[in-house]
Amino acid sequence: MTETLKQGSATAASRIYETLRQDLLSGRYRAGERLSITLLRETYDVGLSPLREALNRLAAYGLLRQENQRGFRVLELTREELTDITEMRRQLEGMALELAIRHGDEEWESQLLAANHRLARAGEHTPVGEWEHLHSRFHNALVAPCGSAWLLRFISQLHDQFDRYRRVAPRAEELRHQLDSQHQELVDLALARDARRARTLIEEHITLSSEVAMRSCR
């Protein structure tokens, strides 16, 4: 019975962790907002123990700040932090893409083409959550065969940190079309095994996207 309860608590903690993670990334909670444990329990219909475990995990992941004896607070959005995140993304994703192009096989090419096709088909009427999912799948597919689990883990965490800014920033249609066209260019360069130009483009792509994300700090 005790083991069953532990498994149930772990499952609940994982569920609330993922749900809260998505809500934090989407901007459901304001930057700097202090989270009420009582309200969170009511909102997500979860017990205190799994909720606290999920909140501690989110704090360790960098999406919340734990305050001594005062609970948890959503991190602020600052230009300095976003600049730091952007530079780290440029370096790590550039490295990962070069490695992926070196090691990727035909299966990788097929998965990359499929991910790009699904993203390209998602029009302006596609629900935001669905587009975000397709966008993440594309970027994950691009660097998947880099050969380093740690590199992919760091990139995933940086993406989440970056998305805290990008998702709440005002839309920038003049840059959105350029960013979308770069997805196809990245695929073309990857399939052509042009690692040098592909790395240059992914770094430009991240920099351009940061111009959109930076608008969340104004």
Side-chain angles (χ1 to χ4, degrees):
M1 178 67 73
T2 301
E3 187 62 30
T4 301
L5 289 174
K6 288 181 178 178
Q7 291 176 354
S9 179
T11 300
S14 295
R15 175 182 61 82
I16 188 60
Y17 170 85
E18 185 56 33
T19 303
L20 259 173
R21 187 180 74 86
Q22 290 296 334
D23 285 347
L24 288 167
L25 295 180
S26 68
R28 175 171 182 171
Y29 299 99
R30 300 186 312 276
E33 179 178 352
R34 185 172 180 272
L35 300 181
S36 164
I37 299 294
T38 301
L39 185 57
L40 290 176
R41 290 186 63 187
E42 295 174 354
T43 301
Y44 297 100
D45 189 23
V46 66
L48 180 59
S49 179
L51 175 60
R52 285 197 173 278
E53 181 180 339
L55 291 171
N56 282 320
R57 288 174 59 189
L58 288 164
Y61 190 66
L63 291 179
L64 292 176
R65 182 173 68 252
Q66 188 170 11
E67 302 180 325
N68 292 336
Q69 307 300 321
R70 298 179 62 187
F72 298 83
R73 190 178 296 276
V74 181
L75 294 182
E76 291 81 3
L77 302 176
T78 69
R79 299 176 66 88
E80 293 76 15
E81 182 189 51
L82 180 56
T83 298
D84 189 17
I85 293 168
T86 299
E87 182 56 30
M88 291 304 300
R89 278 196 63 194
R90 281 169 50 89
Q91 293 186 30
L92 295 187
E93 288 184 53
M95 180 195 308
L97 182 53
E98 283 191 320
L99 291 169
I101 289 173
R102 183 185 308 167
H103 299 301
D105 55 16
E106 291 184 357
E107 178 63 24
W108 168 62
E109 293 181 354
S110 297
Q111 292 178 359
L112 181 57
L113 284 168
N116 183 53
H117 178 68
R118 295 188 187 99
L119 179 59
R121 287 188 60 186
E124 61 182 30
H125 299 299
T126 301
V128 173
E130 182 180 343
W131 187 91
E132 292 289 355
H133 175 68
L134 294 173
H135 185 244
S136 293
R137 287 187 63 180
F138 170 78
H139 277 277
N140 291 339
L142 196 60
V143 299
C146 73
S148 171
W150 275 104
L151 183 54
L152 292 175
R153 193 172 298 137
F154 289 140
I155 288 172
S156 177
Q157 187 170 359
L158 286 168
H159 264 273
D160 277 356
Q161 294 294 342
F162 190 91
D163 281 354
R164 285 197 308 124
Y165 292 79
R166 183 180 58 81
R167 292 194 191 188
V168 299
R171 291 184 63 85
E173 297 300 335
E174 70 280 10
L175 297 180
R176 183 75 265 161
H177 295 300
Q178 186 177 349
L179 287 165
D180 289 342
S181 68
Q182 286 179 341
H183 291 145
Q184 182 61 55
E185 294 177 48
L186 284 166
V187 172
D188 293 341
L189 290 172
L191 297 181
R193 305 292 169 153
D194 192 336
R196 182 183 61 80
R197 291 176 61 196
R199 176 163 189 165
T200 297
L201 183 57
I202 192 66
E203 291 177 356
E204 291 176 356
H205 182 74
I206 293 167
T207 298
L208 186 62
S209 186
S210 74
E211 293 182 21
V212 177
M214 194 64 77
R215 301 182 182 196
S216 65
C217 301
R218 296 174 183 174

